[in-house]
Each structure stands twice: as C-alpha cells, then as structure tokens.
Amino acid sequence: MSLESKLQVASAEYQTVQDQLQNVVLSRQKLGAQLSENQAVKKEFDALTPNNTVYKLIGPGLIRQDQAEAKANVDKRLEFITSEIKRVEKQLEELQQKGERVKSQLVELQTQLQAAKTDAPQIAA
C-alpha cells in the first residue's frame, strides 16, 4: 500500500473517530442536563412533608402518586443516569486516546510522505 493511500485511510479513520467523539460529547451533555433536572426534583422531594401530595403528569392530566413511589423513581433515575455518565465518560476517554493514536499516525505518515517527495529526483521541464 502506498504512503498516499495509507494517509487517506488514516485520515478517514481520524474523521470517523472525531465524529464518534462529537456524538459521545453530545450524549454526555444530555445526561448532564438530565442529572441536574433529577437532582433538582430530588431536592424538592426532600423538602416535602408526609402530608404533601405528589402528582405525576400523564398525558394532559395530573394523576396523584404515592410520595414514596415518586421518590423511589427519582432515586432509580439518578442511579441510572449516574451509571450512564460513567459509561459515556469511559467511552469518551477511549475515543480521545484512539484519536491521539490516529493523529500521531497521521503526522508520521505525512512526515514520511514529505520526506519521500523531497528525496525524489527533481525533473526539469
């Protein structure tokens, strides 16, 4: 395989990694927003007294919900979001490392290609 084709392959791989990285960053941002929302809900639930009534929005209407059940649902959601954030951050770290490897490979191939062009005999026109 020629240096040019290796460079094209590495360049395409680098672009793919960058696209994947961008998608993972967007996922992390969404999860961060969901975490903040659910933490705010938990904080509100912590301020409730046993006499307070909790309602859940289902379709166009509010349905009464058991306070303990609502708190448990928020706690489960927080647990799930936290585990998803950890998974996405690990994926983000792996993609960043892969991106760095491919980037250094690209630089090396570009250097080799440049050296090959410099070493090639010059043809006079």
Side-chain angles (χ1 to χ4, degrees):
M1 184 182 281
S2 71
L3 280 176
E4 286 93 355
S5 58
K6 286 181 182 179
L7 188 62
Q8 287 176 343
V9 168
S11 182
E13 183 180 359
Y14 185 71
Q15 185 60 46
T16 301
V17 169
Q18 291 303 307
D19 292 344
Q20 291 172 342
L21 198 56
Q22 185 177 8
N23 289 336
V24 172
V25 167
L26 288 174
S27 291
R28 174 60 179 93
Q29 289 172 342
K30 288 178 186 176
L31 287 168
Q34 290 175 352
L35 182 66
S36 295
E37 290 171 9
N38 281 278
Q39 285 172 333
V41 170
K42 182 171 176 45
K43 187 176 179 180
E44 290 294 321
F45 277 170
D46 290 343
L48 294 178
T49 65
N51 298 332
N52 294 120
T53 305
V54 175
Y55 293 93
K56 182 177 184 175
L57 182 64
I58 299 179
L62 292 173
I63 307 298
R64 188 178 178 143
Q65 188 177 23
D66 180 56
Q67 197 178 112
E69 182 183 336
K71 286 180 180 181
N73 286 340
V74 170
D75 287 338
K76 285 179 192 173
R77 221 174 298 130
L78 282 169
E79 239 178 79
F80 174 76
I81 292 169
T82 303
S83 68
E84 279 298 297
I85 286 174
K86 287 178 184 175
R87 184 188 65 79
V88 167
E89 285 178 346
K90 182 179 179 189
Q91 188 179 15
L92 190 61
E93 185 179 323
E94 290 170 356
L95 282 171
Q96 287 172 334
Q97 290 172 356
K98 184 176 181 180
E100 288 300 315
R101 283 193 306 271
V102 174
K103 185 178 178 180
S104 64
Q105 181 184 8
L106 267 173
V107 169
E108 184 180 324
L109 286 169
Q110 287 172 335
T111 304
Q112 289 175 6
L113 189 61
Q114 193 66 34
K117 286 182 179 180
T118 304
D119 293 343
Q122 299 296 323
I123 300 174

